[in-house]
Every structure is written in structure tokens, then in C-alpha cells.
């Protein structure tokens, strides 16, 4: 659309009060289209500030998981700073069991809004815990699928040329306006095994839970849950050979909170 | 709940307004009282000294160091006279910039009080004098246009005496200023909405509410189908107000419901009630159970009197109504928020300390396909359908006939993008609808079609140009704008001085937006031809298409925006340049 052409037309248009054109000419042009060299306000003082930035953090999981075979503590959270279009994200998760930190995964991402509900994210992932450290480049999507389903899918490539992917989803069922049942699942996939990190090729591990939270306030919601974490396919075989637990269902309680 | 430590004698003095001319409150001798100042000065004045200051005010247990005028919320009622030139000197004692915008007043643009468009604002410790001729009459209001001070106390009423007396004389005259009170700071509210847009909505559809919905919809499967439909679009049918009674106490003349502002009358007297919606984010549905209201003025302009039981007042609108209570009893002024999470309340009574019955709130509205812009579909409406409509007849839903203009600037359907989540496929004329939650409620409810000006319009020319604008937004990201763009990503809307323009608003969002054009009248095309009503703020209903005419007769940079404060602040704002 040639904006300049349209505006010159409007500029040429002179007022003829009592003429009604038989055929109105429709110009497919927004009257408020941005124009070069015309300010919408006095210098240095916009009447509103619609380019604000915000800072928020949320712990979706901050919980103790109990089973007869042992208890662990797990967190999963994210924080972001930025504007409507551009944000810097940190995602962090990990499990602490018997003084040993495992499954520690930190993503540092730039996030760009690309559609009504979706954001593209790219950056770095660092596996940081008591196991060997691994570093990955990350690229993925995060947003709201149909039916208000929260979804994240991220692909990773490591400095050793390995590929991995993490899929996460959750859904909020409102039992009442404050009592909310949330099924959640996280899956990790790898192209190559990494036994030192309990990783197998293919679908490697699953972490899933059914959490029932009560929102005392929006920002503070204690919950009870049933969680399951376990290894799948090749990783499942590794764990069995090493005599480790292959998967455990645990009674869980924790707090979902954000600021 | 904390009550105010206020002696009843003081309430008595302040509330004993025996109509015009009974109280002698000098305009500048404002009394700092936390319970607002709704006294109408005995006489008009054209010289005003107003002080913007912080005052610690507690209402309904919520304490706020509110920026306000002369220490009260609302500020003093300004009474002017048509034909005079007023001069108002504002002293800013705040630690931040401030401004006052005279909402709905026609004046030179440099007196309009919008920082960044009209002037550079009033810096801390500085004075600014507004001077302009008053060329209109009726009920208006003023509020800050700086840093969201409007949301936390900087507002008040304006009454302009007409040159020729009002058609229906009244023995009593009261300002009824509706507002909100909260100790939640505007920045925090916006931040919460950016993180979770339904943060304040605790009236959503849940498992617990399913049986009731199934009853309304006719079957459980119908109710589930409706839910799935909304869910598939990532929207909520229960999204009525973005900020709700969870944090708001709704106020009437600065009083919480329990402190019961009271206006006195003697049975048989005619009372003029000047309703002003000075809230930041709340539409009110107003009624006085047991009294018929005669709507005589809208946005300061006289209309053919319309008898109604109820009316919806959008943010920044004003309506004058006349009531004539015959009985020696108390009547409740009842203004429930559109989402039914609370109400503002006052009383008209023959004596102080009387209370009328407070009616129960209506069921909260639920959005339908019409709100989505799907036009009329025979969907089982989930709203209450208990009684047949008793609205006044003769309301065809067809578009008002309008002459096509030689040029139509049509941006086409808005894009579905980061800033817009919906396109109204078949927007309809909804000026004949009283609004979501008021249809078929068994009461006579005002609609825009009822508004017929008392005098024909002053500019008979047909429009030479039509400007179509889409109201857009993305509730999920809490972004608002026009044509899928925020203010900062858009250019000005340019009008030639003297040009006659038709604005057509298509609302692609599923919420009402009160659209306010500064400095120029908006003449609603509602089917009354030359008797179209002149307004300064028009509610665009969800899924609707609405047109109004504008004569660009005052040059300058004018603000044009949605008057829901947080929608405006997040992008639903444009500059209109008349040159």
C-alpha cells in the first residue's frame, strides 16, 4: 500500500460541503497509519506510555515429594523481564534428593512475541547440578494452544552436536474460582545416550503431576499433588541395570507462588 | 471493616443540601473530609484556585495517600455559568507532574490539559492557569490526565448553569458522582494484568457453576459446547470487567456503600440527579427501586425526556435524571457494577439516617456470540431470560440510514496478531441494546436509540469523509489499541479544520469501550436524523458497529481514546490533529 500516494490524495481533497458522491471511493487505508515526519505529540512527552516493561517470576512447582522409598524436593520456575514483544526469560528446574542435585536445567532465553498467543524463544541451556555439566543452544516456542492449554516446546543442540528436546504442557481445570486442578507433564527427548546424566536415546524421562491448588490469593496457592517421575525406553534400561529406581509415584505438597 | 471516625453532626451539615442556593460553601473553602465533597456551590464562579495535594484518606478500610483537589475525593464541585470566561489556577504541591482535563468541555486545545498534546503538564511546585470561555451548559467532570492519578482520587464534578433555564425546573439538585476506591496502585494493577489477565476475575465458569449453566442452556451438553467454543478461542465468556470488586470499593460521592450518602427531599418535590461515572474501569447499572427516572440530559446536552427504570453509564459518561418521589420514605440509589461484583449506594430520604431496601444484585452477564462479532445467531443465551422484554417498542435493529461519504478510509478487517486476538465477522448495530446483562430483565432500560436531542444539530452538512476504526485488543497479553496497533506504533488521525467527518467504530473485542474524543462533539447517528444526540463519550458495545459525526471546528492536537484507564494507558489512544 502506497501510503504517501494516499495521503497526497487526502491532501488534495478539498471540502465540498453539499456534494455527495454517487459512488463513494473506498480507500483501504487506516486513518491512523504511522506517517514519517509527523509527530503524534509534543517533543519528548508522549501522552501515554504503552511501551512499558515488567518483571515477573513464578514458581509453578516448589514442592516436597514423599514416598516410602525416599523423599525429594523439586522446583520448577521461570522469570521474565521485558515488554510486550521482547522479553528475557530464565527457566529453572531441579530435584534435590539425599543432598544430591539432579535434573538441574537452566534456560536463558530471549523471547519474541510472534502471534496472539505464541512466543519464539532462543538462547542457551545449561545442565547444572551434581552431574557433569552440559551446554546447549536452545530454540523453541512457548504460549497458549487452543482450549487455553499452556505449552512449551524447545529444541536443543549441544556443543557436541547432539540434539535434544523438551516438551511441557499444563492445563487449569477450575473446580471453583480458587480451587484449581492442574495436570502437568514434562517430557525430555535426546538423540544420543548420555549415561553419566542418566539420559537415554529417544524419549528419556517424564515428570508429571496432578496438582490441586487453592488460591488464597492469585500469587500464593498451596497445593497437594500426586507426582510421578521416571525414566523411559533406553534410560529406563540404564536405570534398571544400575539398580536405580526407574520411576516413582509420590505424594506431594508444595506452594505455587509468583510476584 | 473500618468505619470512619466521623461525627454524625458533620455528616449532617455536609449532606444537608437543600437544593440550589441553600448551602453557602465558598468554592475555595473546601473542607478536607475523607468522605468527599458533593456540595453544589450556591452560586457559580468564574475564578477558581485549586490545589493538587496528597491527602491520606481511608475508605472501607483501604488507606491511600491520594492525589486530589483541595484535599477531598471527589474534589470540589465547580459551578460555572454559560457565556462567562472562567479562570482556574492550579497549584501542584505533589512531587510529580499533574494536570487537569475538563472532560467534555469545548475550549482552545492548549487549555484541554493533556500533557504531551495540549501543554507540558504542571511540574511539581508550579502553578498553571486555565482560561477559556464557557460556551455550553450541563453536567461535566474534570480529572487528571497525568500518571494515572485519575484512578486514585484526582477528579470532581463540573456544573454549568445554562443561559436559558432547564426545561423542567427542580426543587432539588444533587451531583451523584460514581467512582471506585482501592489501595491497589495503578502500576501494580497493570503489572498483575500483564502477568495474568484474569487476575481480578473470580466469577469464571467452573465445575461448581456447571449445573446452573446447564439449567440455563437447556442441557449439560449445550453448556459444555458453549464452554468449549469459548475455550477454543482462548477467551472467557465471563470476562466482563478487567478490575473488579475484589479490590474496588464502589463509591457514590466519595462514600462507601455502608456510609450511605444521603440526599434529602420532601415528598412530591422534583429532584435532579446529575450522574457522573468518574470510575477508572467500571461501568455502572443505575436504578432507584420504586422510582421512575426521567432521563433529560446525556453528556451535558438536553435530550427528549425518556422515562426509564434503569440505565447503564459507561466510564466518563454523564446522565441527568429527574425523579419525583411521592412517598415519605427512603429510596436507594443503587449502582451495581456491570460484572456484579459490588455496588455503589446512596439514599434519597425525607430525613437523615434513613435507609431504603438494598436490592440484590442481578446475575452477572455472560458474553455470547453477538459479543464475538458473529452477529445474531440463535445461540441459547446464557444470560437471564426470565421475563419478556418490556422495553419500549419501535426499535428496529437495522442500521440508521446514513448518506455515504465521498471518501471512506477503511483499514479492512484488523490483523490477527500479537496485539489483536479477534475479528468481528459480522458486527451489528447495537445502539438499540441496553447492553450485556440488561437485556430482557423486565425493567425499562435506556438504550442509545432512546437518546433524541432537544435541539437539531448545528451543522447540517453531510460528512465529506468516513474514517473506519477497529477497536482491537488481546486480553491474553493485555494489550489494547485501534486497528491492531498501540498508540506508539500509530500515526495521528488528521482532520482539516471545518471538515465534517463520520467516525465508524467496529468493536472486534468482546468488551465495551467508552470512546472519548477531546475538544469536539461526537454526534451519535442513532436514527434520529438532525436530532442526533451530541455526546463526548460513546460506549462501543462488543461485536458492534457504530457511527457518529464530528465537525472539526477547533484546531489543535486532541486526545482520542478508550476511557477505561488501563486500556488507554496500554495503547488504546490516538492523537487527532485538526489543522
Amino acid at each position: 500500500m502506497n501510503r504517501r500516494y494516499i495521503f497526497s490524495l487526502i491532501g488534495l481533497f478539498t471540502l465540498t460541503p453539499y456534494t455527495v458522491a454517487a459512488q463513494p471511493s473506498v480507500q483501504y487505508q487506516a486513518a491512523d497509519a504511522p506517517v514519517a515526519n509527523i509527530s503524534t505529540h509534543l517533543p519528548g512527552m508522549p501522552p501515554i506510555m504503552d511501551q512499558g516493561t515488567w518483571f515477573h517470576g513464578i514458581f509453578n512447582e516448589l514442592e516436597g515429594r514423599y514416598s516410602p522409598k525416599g523423599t525429594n524436593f523439586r522446583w520448577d520456575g521461570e522469570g521474565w523481564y521485558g515488554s510486550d514483544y521482547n522479553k528475557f526469560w530464565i527457566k529453572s528446574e531441579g530435584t534435590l534428593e539425599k543432598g544430591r542435585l539432579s535434573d538441574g536445567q537452566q534456560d536463558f532465553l530471549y523471547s519474541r512475541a510472534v502471534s496472539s498467543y505464541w512466543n519464539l524463544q532462543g538462547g542457551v541451556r545449561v545442565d547444572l547440578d551434581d552431574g557433569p555439566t552440559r551446554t546447549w543452544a536452545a530454540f523453541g516456542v512457548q504460549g497458549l494452544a487452543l482450549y487455553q492449554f499452556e505449552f512449551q516446546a524447545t529444541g536443543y543442540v549441544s556443543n557436541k552436536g547432539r540434539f535434544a528436546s523438551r516438551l511441557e504442557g499444563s492445563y487449569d481445570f477450575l473446580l471453583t474460582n480458587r480451587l484449581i486442578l492442574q495436570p502437568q507433564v514434562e517430557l525430555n527427548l535426546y538423540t544420543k545416550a548420555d549415561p553419566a546424566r542418566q539420559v537415554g536415546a529417544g524419549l528419556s524421562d517424564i515428570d508429571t503431576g496432578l496438582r490441586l491448588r487453592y488460591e488464597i490469593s492469585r500469587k500464593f496457592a498451596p497445593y497437594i499433588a500426586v507426582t510421578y517421575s521416571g525414566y523411559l525406553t533406553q534410560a529406563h534400561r540404564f536405570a534398571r541395570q544400575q539398580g536405580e529406581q526407574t520411576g516413582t509415584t509420590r505424594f506431594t505438597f508444595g506452594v505455587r507462588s509468583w510476584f | 471493616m473500618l468505619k470512619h471516625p466521623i461525627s454524625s453532626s458533620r455528616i449532617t451539615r455536609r449532606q444537608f443540601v437543600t437544593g440550589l442556593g441553600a448551602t453557602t460553601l465558598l468554592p475555595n473553602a473546601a473542607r478536607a473530609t475523607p468522605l468527599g465533597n458533593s456540595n453544589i456551590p450556591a452560586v457559580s464562579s468564574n475564578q477558581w484556585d485549586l490545589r493538587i495535594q496528597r491527602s491520606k484518606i481511608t475508605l472501607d478500610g483501604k488507606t491511600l495517600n491520594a492525589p486530589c483537589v483541595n484535599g477531598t475525593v471527589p474534589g470540589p464541585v465547580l459551578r460555572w455559568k454559560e457565556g462567562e470566561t472562567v479562570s482556574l489556577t492550579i497549584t501542584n504541591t505533589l512531587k510529580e507532574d499533574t494536570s487537569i482535563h475538563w472532560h467534555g468541555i469545548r475550549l482552545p486545545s492548549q487549555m484541554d490539559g493533556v500533557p504531551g498534546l495540549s501543554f507540558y503538564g504542571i511540574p511539581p511546585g508550579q502553578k498553571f492557569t486555565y482560561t477559556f470561555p464557557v460556551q455550553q451548559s450541563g453536567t461535566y467532570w474534570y480529572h487528571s490526565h497525568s500518571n494515572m492519578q485519575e484512578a486514585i482520587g484526582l477528579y470532581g464534578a463540573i456544573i454549568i448553569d445554562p443561559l436559558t433555564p432547564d426545561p423542567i425546573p427542580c426543587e432539588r439538585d444533587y451531583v451523584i458522582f460514581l467512582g471506585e476506591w482501592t489501595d491497589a496502585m495503578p502500576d501494580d494493577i497493570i503489572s498483575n494484568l500483564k502477568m495474568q489477565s484474569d487476575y481480578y476475575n473470580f466469577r469464571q465458569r467452573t465445575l461448581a457453576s456447571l449445573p446452573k449453566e446447564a439449567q440455563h442452556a437447556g442441557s449439560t451438553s449445550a453448556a459444555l459446547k458453549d464452554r468449549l467454543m469459548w475455550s477454543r478461542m482462548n477467551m472467557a465468556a465471563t470476562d466482563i470487567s478487567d478490575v473488579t470488586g475484589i479490590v474496588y470499593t464502589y463509591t457514590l460521592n466519595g462514600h462507601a456503600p455502608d456510609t450511605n450518602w444521603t440526599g434529602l427531599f420532601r415528598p412530591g418535590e422534583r429532584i435532579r440527579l446529575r450522574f457522573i461515572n468518574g470510575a477508572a474501569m467500571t461501568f455502572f447499572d443505575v436504578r432507584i427501586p420504586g422510582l421512575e427516572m426521567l432521563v433529560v440530559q446525556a453528556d451535558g446536552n438536553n435530550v427528549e425526556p425518556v422515562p426509564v427504570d434503569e440505565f447503564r453509564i459507561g466510564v466518563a459518561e454523564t446522565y441527568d435524571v429527574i425523579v419525583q418521589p411521592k412517598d415519605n420514605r427512603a429510596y436507594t440509589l443503587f449502582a451495581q457494577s456491570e460484572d456484579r461484583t459490588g455496588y455503589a449506594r446512596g439514599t434519597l430520604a425525607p430525613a437523615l439516617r434513613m435507609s431504603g431496601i438494598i436490592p440484590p444484585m442481578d446475575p452477572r452477564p455472560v458474553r455470547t456470540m453477538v459479543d464475538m462479532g458473529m452477529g445474531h445467531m440463535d445461540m441459547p443465551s446464557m444470560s437471564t431470560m426470565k421475563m419478556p422484554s418490556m422495553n419500549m417498542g419501535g426499535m428496529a435493529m437495522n442500521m440508521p440510514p446514513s448518506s455515504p461519504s465521498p471518501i471512506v478510509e477503511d483499514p479492512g478487517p484488523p490483523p490477527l496478531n500479537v496485539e489483536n486476538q479477534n475479528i468481528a465477522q459480522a458486527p451489528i448495530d447495537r445502539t438499540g441494546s441496553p447492553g450485556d446483562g440488561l437485556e430482557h430483565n423486565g425493567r425499562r432500560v435506556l438504550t442509545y436509540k432512546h437518546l433524541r436531542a432537544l435541539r437539531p444539530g448545528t451543522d447540517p452538512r453531510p460528512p465529506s469523509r468516513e474514517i473506519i476504526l477497529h477497536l482491537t485488543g488481546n486480553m491474553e497479553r493485555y494489550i489494547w489499541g485501534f486497528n491492531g496497533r498501540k498508540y506508539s506504533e500509530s500515526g495521528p488521525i488528521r482532520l482539516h479544520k471545518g471538515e465534517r467527518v463520520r467516525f465508524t467504530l467496529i468493536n472486534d473485542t468482546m468488551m465495551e469501550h467508552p470512546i472519548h474524543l477531546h475538544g469536539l462533539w461526537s454526534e451519535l447517528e442513532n436514527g434520529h436524523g438532525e436530532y442526533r444526540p451530541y455526546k463526548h463519550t460513546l460506549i462501543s458495545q462488543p461485536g458492534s458497529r457504530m457511527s457518529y459525526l464530528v465537525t472539526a471546528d477547533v484546531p489543535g492536537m486532541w486526545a482520542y481514546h478508550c476511557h477505561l484507564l488501563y486500556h488507554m494507558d496500554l495503547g488504546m489512544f490516538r492523537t487527532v490533529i485538526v489543522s
Side-chain angles (χ1 to χ4, degrees):
Chain A
M1 191 81 218
N2 188 335
R3 272 187 208 131
R4 221 166 273 157
Y5 166 72
I6 292 297
F7 271 100
S8 65
L9 261 185
I10 293 163
L12 284 170
F13 176 73
T14 45
L15 222 60
T16 44
Y18 294 98
T19 341
V20 175
Q23 274 300 317
S25 86
V26 176
Q27 306 188 339
Y28 289 98
Q29 162 72 30
D32 65 340
V35 230
N37 313 324
I38 293 199
S39 183
T40 53
H41 51 80
L42 298 174
M45 190 179 267
I48 60 159
M49 310 281 242
D50 63 11
Q51 295 285 359
T53 54
W54 291 273
F55 177 45
H56 285 291
I58 179 164
F59 278 107
N60 286 309
E61 300 171 23
L62 194 63
E63 62 196 26
R65 299 179 167 188
Y66 302 89
S67 83
K69 293 175 189 158
T71 295
N72 65 30
F73 169 79
R74 180 176 167 83
W75 82 88
D76 184 337
E78 53 205 29
W80 58 261
Y81 168 79
S83 64
D84 287 333
Y85 280 91
N86 304 301
K87 291 184 176 75
F88 175 67
W89 276 64
I90 295 179
K91 298 179 189 174
S92 173
E93 64 175 56
T95 304
L96 192 63
E97 188 162 14
K98 294 173 189 153
R100 189 173 169 276
L101 191 60
S102 63
D103 197 26
Q105 183 181 328
Q106 278 62 239
D107 292 33
F108 303 90
L109 306 168
Y110 160 74
S111 174
R112 170 80 186 173
V114 291
S115 73
S116 299
Y117 309 112
W118 293 99
N119 307 300
L120 289 183
Q121 301 186 326
V124 178
R125 158 181 162 186
V126 185
D127 295 341
L128 206 58
D129 52 25
D130 291 345
T133 301
R134 303 279 183 260
T135 310
W136 312 74
F139 186 77
V141 294
Q142 178 272 340
L144 205 60
L146 291 182
Y147 300 103
Q148 287 151 323
F149 183 81
E150 295 271 357
F151 183 74
Q152 297 185 15
T154 320
Y156 303 99
V157 56
S158 81
N159 48 1
K160 296 197 178 78
R162 298 173 170 210
F163 292 91
S165 147
R166 179 172 64 171
L167 305 172
E168 273 184 274
S170 71
Y171 190 84
D172 281 356
F173 283 105
L174 273 61
L175 305 181
T176 73
N177 271 283
R178 290 182 190 269
L179 191 66
I180 297 163
L181 186 68
Q182 184 204 50
Q184 159 274 334
V185 65
E186 177 191 326
L187 295 165
N188 280 290
L189 294 94
Y190 294 86
T191 51
K192 284 207 174 97
D194 185 356
R197 289 197 56 86
Q198 315 283 328
V199 163
L203 201 52
S204 178
D205 63 75
I206 181 170
D207 189 277
T208 179
L210 186 64
R211 292 175 180 78
L212 181 66
R213 71 175 186 262
Y214 185 79
E215 296 196 342
I216 294 170
S217 78
R218 286 285 191 219
K219 294 177 181 173
F220 187 80
Y223 59 81
I224 53 170
V226 175
T227 56
Y228 173 85
S229 67
Y231 299 112
L232 302 164
T233 63
Q234 192 185 41
H236 187 270
R237 287 198 297 279
F238 288 158
R240 215 175 43 218
Q241 285 157 9
Q242 292 164 10
E244 296 217 3
Q245 288 177 23
T246 53
T248 317
T249 304
R250 289 185 169 95
F251 174 71
T252 299
F253 64 87
V255 172
R256 177 186 188 265
S257 62
W258 61 269
F259 64 85
Chain B
M1 214 176 270
L2 283 173
K3 289 265 178 74
H4 278 292
I6 281 218
S7 72
S8 56
S9 69
R10 190 159 183 199
I11 289 186
T12 307
R13 271 209 314 277
R14 219 166 13 77
Q15 293 177 343
F16 195 79
V17 184
T18 48
L20 299 184
T23 46
T24 48
L25 240 194
L26 290 173
N28 304 337
R31 286 185 243 173
T33 154
L35 285 188
N37 179 350
S38 56
N39 293 317
I40 299 177
V43 287
S44 66
S45 167
N46 52 23
Q47 292 289 328
W48 296 81
D49 276 303
L50 301 173
R51 194 184 147 86
I52 313 289
Q53 62 184 73
R54 291 262 172 194
S55 292
K56 194 172 172 184
I57 293 174
T58 302
L59 199 74
D60 196 20
K62 298 164 182 167
T63 302
L64 193 63
N65 205 8
C68 54
V69 181
N70 291 2
T72 65
V73 177
V77 178
L78 309 182
R79 189 167 170 192
W80 307 336
K81 188 157 180 51
E82 185 180 5
E84 294 190 349
T85 293
V86 290
S87 167
L88 306 107
T89 300
I90 315 298
T91 305
N92 180 12
T93 72
L94 307 177
K95 294 189 177 72
E96 58 185 281
D97 282 14
T98 193
S99 59
I100 291 190
H101 162 61
W102 319 99
H103 187 110
I105 305 297
R106 306 256 287 142
L107 35 59
S109 68
Q110 65 270 23
M111 293 294 147
D112 194 46
V114 180
L117 299 188
S118 330
F119 71 147
Y120 281 96
I122 312 172
Q126 301 285 304
K127 287 184 186 218
F128 182 87
T129 300
Y130 292 88
T131 309
F132 48 87
V134 178
Q135 314 153 47
Q136 61 202 107
S137 64
T139 304
Y140 300 91
W141 66 301
Y142 61 89
H143 59 83
S144 165
H145 231 282
S146 302
N147 197 20
M148 299 185 279
Q149 294 157 354
E150 178 194 340
I152 47 176
L154 217 163
Y155 44 73
I158 299 171
I159 293 179
I160 308 174
D161 297 343
L163 284 174
T164 50
D166 280 311
I168 304 176
C170 290
E171 287 85 9
R172 309 255 178 181
D173 196 329
Y174 292 116
V175 165
I176 308 293
F177 197 104
L178 303 172
E180 310 137 337
W181 187 255
T182 177
D183 52 9
M185 286 293 130
D187 284 335
D188 294 339
I189 291 175
I190 286 184
S191 185
N192 289 338
L193 290 166
K194 281 282 179 186
M195 180 74 172
Q196 182 181 353
S197 62
D198 60 0
Y199 187 93
Y200 298 103
N201 183 358
F202 288 89
R203 293 278 190 89
Q204 299 180 64
R205 288 172 165 179
T206 66
L207 184 67
S209 70
L210 187 59
K212 210 168 182 176
E213 284 162 43
Q215 211 178 343
H216 279 303
S219 71
T220 308
S221 68
L224 285 172
K225 215 170 117 184
D226 192 60
R227 277 193 191 201
L228 280 173
M229 182 191 77
W230 283 97
S231 181
R232 205 171 70 84
M233 296 182 296
N234 286 334
M235 295 184 185
T238 55
D239 178 14
I240 308 297
S241 305
D242 297 342
V243 191
T244 70
I246 286 284
V247 288
Y248 281 151
T249 297
Y250 301 108
T251 59
L252 189 150
N253 288 339
H255 288 247
D258 59 350
T259 58
N260 195 15
W261 179 91
T262 302
L264 295 175
F265 71 89
R266 290 188 196 88
E269 284 178 329
R270 269 196 297 254
I271 312 168
R272 188 181 189 97
L273 301 171
R274 302 168 181 266
F275 283 93
I276 299 166
N277 186 346
M281 292 295 287
T282 308
F283 281 50
F284 290 101
D285 294 340
V286 178
R287 63 188 204 264
I288 310 173
L291 277 187
E292 178 182 86
M293 299 182 282
L294 199 62
V295 178
V296 294
Q297 197 188 89
D299 288 6
N301 293 294
N302 289 336
V303 294
E304 292 276 354
V306 189
V308 299
D309 300 321
E310 185 170 24
F311 63 89
R312 168 161 297 173
I313 185 166
V315 171
E317 290 187 298
T318 71
Y319 283 106
D320 284 18
V321 309
I322 293 174
V323 293
Q324 198 170 12
K326 299 275 198 295
D327 299 336
N328 194 32
R329 67 174 180 93
Y331 295 87
T332 298
L333 297 162
F334 184 70
Q336 54 182 341
S337 67
E338 188 197 350
D339 69 346
R340 316 298 184 232
T341 55
Y343 55 85
R345 168 248 186 168
T347 301
L348 295 176
L352 286 170
R353 276 178 291 285
M354 289 177 72
S355 285
I357 292 166
I358 300 178
M361 281 192 284
D362 290 332
R364 67 111 163 75
V366 176
R367 305 293 187 192
T368 66
M369 293 304 277
V370 174
D371 301 299
M372 296 275 351
M374 302 298 194
H376 274 290
M377 299 175 70
D378 281 329
M379 289 277 306
S381 164
M382 305 280 287
S383 59
T384 52
M385 300 274 273
K386 287 206 175 69
M387 297 180 72
S389 167
M390 285 165 57
N391 281 331
M392 287 154 266
M395 283 190 238
M397 287 300 285
N398 55 348
M399 291 293 292
S402 59
S403 50
S405 29
I407 294 184
V408 181
E409 283 188 67
D410 184 357
L416 284 175
N417 60 9
V418 170
E419 301 183 41
N420 182 45
Q421 67 181 145
N422 187 50
I423 296 171
Q425 304 289 350
I428 53 166
D429 172 21
R430 295 189 71 183
T431 53
S433 158
D436 287 347
L438 294 177
E439 289 169 338
H440 315 295
N441 67 2
R443 300 187 285 266
R444 293 172 301 166
V445 192
L446 185 77
T447 72
Y448 273 2
K449 278 239 195 296
H450 292 126
L451 299 175
R452 182 185 166 90
L454 222 44
R455 286 186 318 220
T458 50
D459 190 344
R461 294 176 300 162
S464 58
R465 182 153 67 109
E466 177 172 5
I467 292 172
I468 298 178
L469 291 167
H470 287 260
L471 312 185
T472 53
N474 184 345
M475 187 68 194
E476 190 53 38
R477 297 184 186 272
Y478 211 72
I479 298 173
W480 302 96
F482 293 94
N483 294 338
R485 275 183 274 107
K486 294 190 281 194
Y487 166 78
S488 56
E489 298 153 359
S490 305
I493 296 170
R494 290 183 290 170
L495 310 178
H496 303 289
K497 186 173 182 303
E499 190 183 5
R500 184 88 166 137
V501 184
R502 169 179 293 125
F503 279 80
T504 294
L505 298 181
I506 296 171
N507 188 341
D508 295 279
T509 76
M510 38 166 290
M511 298 183 77
E512 297 80 4
H513 299 282
I515 302 296
H516 172 44
L517 173 60
H518 286 223
L520 313 170
W521 285 120
S522 301
E523 307 164 30
L524 176 65
E525 294 187 289
N526 61 350
H528 291 300
E530 59 181 344
Y531 290 91
R532 59 192 159 262
Y534 277 47
K535 292 185 97 268
H536 49 63
T537 309
L538 286 163
I539 299 174
S540 170
Q541 291 195 40
S544 79
R545 179 190 182 104
M546 178 176 75
S547 293
Y548 54 95
L549 300 176
V550 171
T551 298
D553 54 1
V554 190
M557 290 212 275
W558 299 107
Y560 180 62
H561 59 91
C562 171
H563 220 284
L564 294 171
L565 184 68
Y566 303 132
H567 291 193
M568 170 184 106
D569 223 71
L570 294 171
M572 214 166 189
F573 186 108
R574 290 295 179 268
T575 303
V576 170
I577 299 178
V578 178
S579 58

